[in-house]
Amino acid sequence: MAGASYPGTMDTPDDDWLRLDQQICFSLHAASRAFNGVYRVILKDLGLTYPQYLVMLVLWEHGELPVKKLGEHLRLDSGTLSPLLKRLEAAGLVTRERSARDERSVQVRLTEEGTELRRRALQVPRRIAASTGFGAAEIRALRARLDDLTTALDAAALSETPGGSPADARS
Amino acid sequence: MAGASYPGTMDTPDDDWLRLDQQICFSLHAASRAFNGVYRVILKDLGLTYPQYLVMLVLWEHGELPVKKLGEHLRLDSGTLSPLLKRLEAAGLVTRERSARDERSVQVRLTEEGTELRRRALQVPRRIAASTGFGAAEIRALRARLDDLTTALDAAALSETPGGSPADARS
DNA sequence: CGCCATTCAATTGTGCGCAACTTAATTGTG
DNA sequence: CACAATTAAGTTGCGCACAATTGAATGGCG
């Protein structure tokens, strides 16, 4: 509200950029936490945290996966996944077993109970969607925007990195 | 509330909702972390983390504030802010002092060095904006969308709360 | 005035996210 | 075959987020 409208970028002064920056980074941060909060409440019934739910979604879709693949789907590394999977295992939702073929890799499988949980999870998305007040189309549009953003940011992070390793051709 | 029909939803089957849900929550989660990653790299020069930067932005704008007010601006509670502010204090960027007027409250003030840091921070937003590949207008549009989302989610979180304490007129 | 409810910060405990490092298995190369 | 390089998980350490609790200060009310 403060002073105004900047049509394009033209020569927006630094101070205004700083204010805009405050707004956009705050907005994304806040939205992410707000989302997290709603999921927290809804997922409490299932005994899952939000990240655990994401892992379960991937497993429900793919059946079973090594930790590495799970990490690629979710962009998470073993530092995050290992303890998380241990908790899911303790909860009786998954099993972790070293692969016989390649002893380095650990296969994550749904238990009976884990598979079962999917039925109860089916109503979660509707409750979330209802909470947003957004329709399917709007959600899809927002998702597309966010994915663009993520793609751009990931690319930028690489070029911006001090090490800046150029070779990043991931599988 | 079961069986209700939702705004844009025809009769999309549950399975598809689950898949869409996977996508939108994953997208937001990923975007948030990607943003965080870019800030991490850029803010390293300033010796700040992303949440610390948010706190500094608020302080640069308002000069000095009690912890409570800081928390309202950022939607963070003392559980998060107390240790964070201690670290900013240790870094010599802020001071914390119990208010003489009301001994319960702690006033957070910028030090000389903290005020000084703003000049170096002025170029951060431009680097971030460049990383996103978005123009000011796009950023603003996205921000507006995210704020809508946050508002809706916050409202929903309250009504969704298990305790659903009717008297939830906070503040 | 005395007491109780409220308010603000801080603390504790749990979980996520990420960097850096460790350990073990596999692969590639001579 | 032997040995270095690579790969997969796990571990450690730090910081953030949030719920729940604690403790001190304040304000309201009889």
Side-chain angles (χ1 to χ4, degrees), chain B:
Chain B
M1 50 176 66
S5 86
Y6 302 88
T9 81
M10 328 270 233
D11 52 357
T12 314
D14 284 340
D15 281 27
D16 292 342
W17 272 107
L18 204 57
R19 192 158 291 113
L20 178 59
D21 184 53
Q22 171 172 6
Q23 293 173 352
I24 178 60
C25 65
F26 171 73
S27 291
L28 189 65
H29 204 62
S32 179
R33 287 186 292 126
F35 232 97
N36 211 307
V38 172
Y39 272 104
R40 190 195 322 284
V41 173
I42 293 179
L43 292 175
K44 185 173 268 183
D45 293 344
L46 307 184
L48 294 174
T49 64
Y50 182 44
Q52 287 167 8
Y53 173 68
L54 294 177
V55 168
M56 293 302 286
L57 283 174
V58 173
L59 289 174
W60 286 325
E61 187 165 345
H62 294 91
E64 81 175 57
L65 290 168
V67 173
K68 186 75 196 310
K69 289 289 179 191
L70 210 45
E72 284 171 11
H73 280 286
L74 298 168
R75 289 172 192 247
L76 291 173
D77 63 13
S78 66
T80 299
L81 288 175
S82 288
L84 190 158
L85 290 170
K86 264 191 193 170
R87 284 185 284 272
L88 286 181
E89 186 177 39
L93 299 175
V94 307
T95 60
R96 295 183 306 145
E97 203 181 336
R98 291 218 99 94
S99 160
R101 226 8 101 211
D102 184 344
E103 294 257 340
R104 288 170 304 179
S105 127
V106 167
Q107 198 73 7
V108 180
R109 270 181 266 267
L110 288 167
T111 60
E112 193 93 4
E113 193 180 345
T115 305
E116 177 69 12
L117 189 64
R118 182 174 185 277
R119 278 199 298 114
R120 291 207 284 144
L122 283 175
Q123 58 167 359
V124 170
R126 264 209 281 255
R127 294 177 66 188
I128 296 293
S131 294
T132 64
F134 283 26
E138 285 175 294
I139 291 177
R140 247 186 292 273
L142 179 60
R143 182 177 82 72
R145 261 259 164 326
L146 290 172
D147 287 347
D148 289 346
L149 193 58
T150 302
T151 301
L153 290 172
D154 278 350
L158 292 179
S159 63
E160 198 80 56
T161 305
S165 29
D168 198 304
R170 3 179 289 101
S171 76

Side-chain angles (χ1 to χ4, degrees), chain A residues 28-89:
Chain A
L28 189 64
H29 204 62
S32 179
R33 286 187 291 125
F35 231 98
N36 210 307
V38 172
Y39 272 106
R40 189 195 322 284
V41 173
I42 294 179
L43 292 175
K44 185 174 268 184
D45 292 345
L46 307 184
L48 294 175
T49 64
Y50 182 43
Q52 287 167 8
Y53 172 67
L54 293 178
V55 167
M56 295 301 286
L57 282 174
V58 173
L59 288 173
W60 285 325
E61 185 165 347
H62 294 92
E64 82 176 56
L65 289 168
V67 173
K68 186 72 196 310
K69 288 291 181 192
L70 209 46
E72 284 171 11
H73 280 287
L74 299 168
R75 287 173 193 251
L76 292 173
D77 63 12
S78 66
T80 299
L81 289 175
S82 289
L84 189 157
L85 290 169
K86 263 190 194 170
R87 284 186 284 271
L88 286 181
E89 186 177 40

